[in-house]
Amino acid sequence: MSARVPGHVLVVGVDGVRFDFLAADSAPSVWALGQAGFLAPVPVDEATPTWSGPCWATIATGTGVAGHGITGNDLTGHRLAEHPDFVTLATRAGLPTLLAVSGWPPLALPEDGGPLFAEATRREFTAVPETGLAWDAARRADREAGLDAWDTADEATTAAAAAILAAAAPRLSFVYLGAVDFAGHATGAGTAYRAALRAADQRVGRLVAVVRSRSSGPEENWTIVVVTDHGHLDEGGHGGREPEVTTAWAAAAGRGIRPGAPPLITRQEQVAPLVLAAAG
Ligand SMILES: [Zn+2]
């Protein structure tokens, strides 16, 4: 099938999910996408600091740090005007688009040098109250409040995106879920992190189900992509070059993606071109 035929694309970005934690029982929705298409490790290259800012910028723009100029979580000084994100490019091409972001402002709002995603037809942002205390939470109560707050925000973002996908089917949607990364920072890659991963996977499953249950779904030619930006240390945290941190991943299924064929994404720069081609 030609990549030029118009299609619909749903991209779910789940922040900070370790590749080695993905399995049929721990993340069945992502695993099923891998069975229907591919699920592959995507190394963060040597030039890219393993922070959310630069990794998501590379995923969103299809260019590396030398292009977009983002090296940390403050995006100030970026060159996104020359290297726009895939939602903006689709929006400028006249396609209806959706940006639904949970918790981390610079992806969607003019904060900390953002927004990384500049233009979208529909834009939903769910704030997480008192994020600041919890990133480095020393007290157990703070950690638990933070986990609850991020879970609530991811849930609200998922519900908003599901409603829009069911009603309107934007041609290109990006949904960002942040609770897994928060759990890694707050508690390490342990029980709470695994629970957050399971919750994120269930949310991916809900969004996939909404798309697949659309009555005009087959003609809409859906491609679904799920992607993370970096992993986490056992004790929580990232930013270095440890394998569990530098091994990001992507899963995709849909039009033109043959199950069992070599993965179409093995570098973070390959996400945006695949997404834009699938949207037509
Ligand atoms: Zn991240």
Side-chain angles (χ1 to χ4, degrees):
M1 184 181 295
S2 165
R4 301 292 172 202
V5 177
H8 288 69
V9 186
L10 167 64
V11 184
V12 185
V14 188
D15 202 300
V17 177
R18 277 172 62 151
F19 180 68
D20 60 335
F21 279 37
L22 298 180
D25 56 347
S26 63
S29 305
V30 171
W31 197 259
L33 282 175
Q35 297 292 305
F38 66 84
L39 165 60
V42 177
V44 181
D45 70 43
E46 293 278 348
T48 306
T50 54
W51 300 112
S52 300
C55 292
W56 285 119
T58 299
I59 291 165
T61 65
T63 186
V65 168
H68 57 66
I70 293 170
T71 56
N73 288 344
D74 188 323
L75 315 187
T76 304
H78 65 67
R79 291 189 292 271
L80 295 170
E82 298 96 287
H83 303 283
D85 66 277
F86 57 71
V87 180
T88 295
L89 288 172
T91 306
R92 288 178 184 166
L95 306 188
T97 58
L98 166 65
L99 177 70
V101 171
S102 173
W104 192 39
L107 288 179
L109 303 178
E111 295 182 24
D112 297 331
L116 175 48
F117 291 89
E119 298 176 25
T121 315
R122 292 284 301 268
R123 182 178 294 264
E124 302 280 336
F125 179 78
T126 308
V128 173
E130 298 187 61
T131 312
L133 69 85
W135 284 110
D136 190 25
R139 291 190 302 124
R140 184 187 179 88
D142 289 348
R143 286 202 302 268
E144 291 183 352
L147 291 168
D148 282 350
W150 275 91
D151 184 64
T152 299
D154 276 9
E155 177 59 28
T157 294
T158 303
I164 292 167
L165 286 164
R171 287 279 298 281
L172 175 50
S173 302
F174 180 72
V175 181
Y176 170 87
L177 304 177
V180 182
D181 184 62
F182 176 82
H185 284 289
T187 69
T191 305
Y193 181 84
R194 289 183 182 276
L197 169 57
R198 186 60 189 247
D201 183 80
Q202 287 171 350
R203 287 169 181 138
V204 168
R206 280 161 58 194
L207 295 171
V208 171
V210 166
V211 160
R212 296 229 165 111
S213 66
R214 288 182 55 77
S215 56
S216 51
E219 301 94 87
E220 291 174 355
N221 259 329
W222 282 90
T223 299
I224 298 163
V225 180
V226 185
V227 60
T228 199
D229 53 343
H230 53 71
H232 259 277
L233 298 171
D234 285 346
E235 63 270 33
H238 50 90
R241 294 295 306 172
E242 302 85 355
E244 62 271 38
V245 168
T246 60
T247 309
W249 53 268
R255 61 191 308 245
I257 301 174
R258 228 161 17 90
L264 300 176
I265 299 171
T266 56
R267 296 186 301 117
Q268 292 184 311
E269 287 90 338
Q270 291 173 317
V271 175
L274 180 143
V275 163
L276 290 167

